[in-house]
Amino acid sequence: MTSRSASGRAVLQARELFLEGGSALDGAVRDEIRASWLRSRQHSIGAEHVQATYVERADPQTLLRDSAMSVLRDVAQEIANEPVALLLTDPHGVVLDRVCGDRGLTQHLDRAQLSLGFTYAESSVGTNGIGTAIETRSPTLVTGGEHFVGDLCQFGCAGVPIVHPLTSALVGLLDLTSWARDTNPMLLGYARATARRIQDRMVERTSLSEVTLVREYLWTCQHAGGSVLALNGELTMMNAHLQQTFDAADQTTLLACVADVSEARRTATVIADLPSGQVVRLGYRPTFTEQNAFAGGIVQIKPQVATRTHEPRHVPAVRLPGVVGASPTWERVCQKVLDSQRRSEWLVLEGEPGVGKLTLLTGAHRAAHPTGHLRVLDAADAYDIDVWLDEVAEELDAQPNTGTLILRRVHLLPESAVSSLAGMLLECQGNTGIATQPWVTMTMPSAAHSATIDAELLPHFPHTIAVPALRHHMDDLPRLVAHLLGQISRDSRLALSDDAMNQFMRLPWHGNVKQLRKVLTEAARQRRTGIIGVDDLPPECRSVNRRRLTTMEALERDAIVDALDTHDGNKDLAAEALGMSRATIYRKIKGFGIRSR
């Protein structure tokens, strides 16, 4: 006990010396702890109090949590009378689950923000058993004064990374936390054993899921025929019929369309316009193991209508003022919106944020009535709901009224306002004929419906049109880039290099046209004339990652890109500047899909 106390005092003394700006005493702390302290200092972590980042919606890591649930329950029973907490995190250190039977320890963990939703990455709270184990990708014991932040010196933490059994990708971490005075190397041994039990369950579940998906895929190919696609988070299969029927560009579009429903637990149908001109229907159905675990999805692809390559070529393209795009997918939407305007049929436009819903409606109005009255009322600006509703009423009551009223982001309205709006729309439709009614339109995200909107508002609108995400009509990207650059740089000519355009074509564009405009605006600040190259693009465009990054991941990616730019692509120097190991920065460059110089 005396030896342990002396060792603890030496570590605390080394920590104080380090925090004062010196180096840790030689031999007083382990090399891995000293390296972590250096990284924590570079992250500008406060040394006294925990200020963990909170993530409102952490990545659920379904395979990890499903596999860990029973293990955590069993281990919790085994240590029910011990002051030990079991914690499960995602690969970024966000706490997904915590089990602790000791009330006193639980209270102190809450004060240290070591609870659900908080991030214990090194970049958030400095050296600790979770973040340091994730950083080094190796089992790590951090106890007492080895922690960088003073609030954590009362704890001992043993973290063990958990990797995917097929891809070896880091999927999460198992951590055991106790009081520092009770911590010894056995805590790390027990954490290793628990993590192995979780990984064994993952192997069972993964193997079963893959077998189930392959079996369903083969059965569908043999009995249904035609083009078949099967996929889950780790596996994608296409049958020979699909590969022979669709070229590489069509296959890319098919995968992008399916990606939006590939995690769904219920059947879905998607209509896709392919670059080749074909229009197909994608019938998706989920598959489950005998234990009712989600295994992936099967997609059957069938022609929807005759291909556009056989349509008369004299059909004029739809042109709406201010609206850019000539792909079959986009032109079809434009035509539907314009037809609705010409018939004065009230319309709802749905789609992801930034896809151009307001631009489409404004363009349709200007195409039909270039000088007609147009009013946009955005629910996001309705600081006083009664005033906003009064403005809607004034537009509906104006006589005669053949203008356009766009009710934007109505999903943000409270239920009472939705009911009031529905009453005004009903009164307008009852008191006037179609010829004297305004063209009333609404916009909202695809997945933001409330029961009140569905029941009270939508019945007043004969049509709902879905505006496709940018990733579903990527052949319009070059036109959009040229159009937006013309708006951004009015007094000079700017263009995108072929290399930069190729990079744009690889990106998922989760923020759609709004994100594209933001990216081009940032690039134009770097180069105001001439050709914009890949090196002029902001960090978010220098990596290719099909999933949406968390805020912390995006910050980390941007820091790596900036460090690589600063050191002319030298990964070793960039790693040293960031306080990362050479292996870590290589892994993160690959994981983020960063394209360096």
Side-chain angles (χ1 to χ4, degrees), residues 93-111:
V94 180
V95 179
L96 302 175
D97 205 349
R98 187 186 74 184
V99 180
C100 183
D102 186 285
R103 179 175 298 180
L105 180 59
T106 298
Q107 291 175 344
H108 281 75
L109 293 175
D110 287 341
R111 290 172 191 158

Side-chain angles (χ1 to χ4, degrees), residues 167-217:
T167 65
S168 296
L170 182 68
V171 296
L173 180 132
L174 185 281
D175 174 82
L176 296 183
T177 293
S178 184
W179 299 114
R181 63 178 179 270
D182 299 326
T183 300
N184 59 55
M186 290 182 61
L187 188 69
L188 184 58
Y190 196 59
R192 286 177 184 265
T194 304
R196 278 197 299 269
R197 290 167 65 177
I198 294 174
Q199 292 209 180
D200 288 343
R201 295 292 177 89
M202 290 177 65
V203 170
E204 295 171 4
R205 287 178 174 271
T206 301
S207 300
L208 186 57
S209 297
E210 303 298 336
V211 169
T212 300
L213 182 63
V214 171
R215 184 175 63 242
E216 289 295 320
Y217 165 72

Side-chain angles (χ1 to χ4, degrees), residues 269-409:
T269 300
V270 177
I271 304 299
D273 289 273
L274 305 181
S276 64
Q278 298 183 80
V279 181
V280 295
R281 184 176 72 252
L282 311 179
Y284 168 88
R285 76 172 190 276
T287 61
F288 301 90
T289 66
E290 294 180 357
Q291 288 72 34
N292 205 35
F294 178 69
I298 304 294
V299 182
Q300 291 179 257
I301 304 166
K302 298 181 179 179
Q304 177 70 6
V305 296
T307 63
R308 295 182 64 88
T309 54
H310 298 298
E311 293 179 359
R313 302 311 299 172
H314 64 271
V315 176
V318 182
R319 293 289 179 262
L320 303 181
V323 179
V324 177
S327 67
T329 301
W330 189 250
E331 285 200 348
R332 183 172 288 105
V333 171
C334 290
Q335 187 64 63
K336 289 180 180 178
V337 174
L338 186 58
D339 289 346
S340 176
Q341 205 286 333
R342 288 169 174 168
R343 293 192 298 265
S344 296
E345 290 181 343
W346 290 8
L347 175 69
V348 177
L349 278 194
E350 292 183 348
E352 297 176 6
V355 294
K357 298 184 288 293
L358 179 61
T359 300
L360 269 173
L361 293 174
T362 303
H365 165 81
R366 290 175 178 167
H369 304 288
T371 60
H373 175 68
L374 170 67
R375 182 73 184 277
V376 179
L377 293 174
D378 194 334
D381 299 331
Y383 301 110
D384 187 322
I385 292 297
D386 291 334
V387 172
W388 191 86
L389 289 172
D390 288 343
E391 292 178 329
V392 174
E394 291 176 5
E395 291 293 326
L396 295 176
D397 292 342
Q399 294 295 328
N401 190 345
T402 56
T404 296
L405 173 61
I406 301 175
L407 303 176
R408 196 178 183 203
R409 293 184 277 214

Side-chain angles (χ1 to χ4, degrees), residues 101-172:
D102 186 285
R103 179 175 298 180
L105 180 59
T106 298
Q107 291 175 344
H108 281 75
L109 293 175
D110 287 341
R111 290 172 191 158
Q113 299 177 337
L114 189 45
S115 56
L116 270 63
F118 283 96
T119 305
Y120 253 65
E122 275 192 351
S123 58
S124 179
V125 296
T127 306
N128 72 93
I130 294 172
T132 304
I134 289 175
E135 184 67 31
T136 61
R137 288 200 69 171
S138 61
T140 302
L141 178 65
V142 178
T143 183
E146 292 179 332
H147 290 91
F148 188 82
V149 178
D151 285 346
L152 301 181
C153 290
Q154 60 188 315
F155 302 120
C157 308
V160 180
I162 300 173
V163 300
H164 194 282
L166 291 180
T167 65
S168 296
L170 182 68
V171 296

Side-chain angles (χ1 to χ4, degrees), residues 39 135-136 571 575-576 579-587:
R39 292 193 296 269
E135 184 67 31
T136 61
K571 298 179 179 63
E576 183 178 351
M580 293 180 178
S581 67
R582 186 172 182 270
T584 297
I585 197 169
Y586 272 82
R587 173 171 54 82

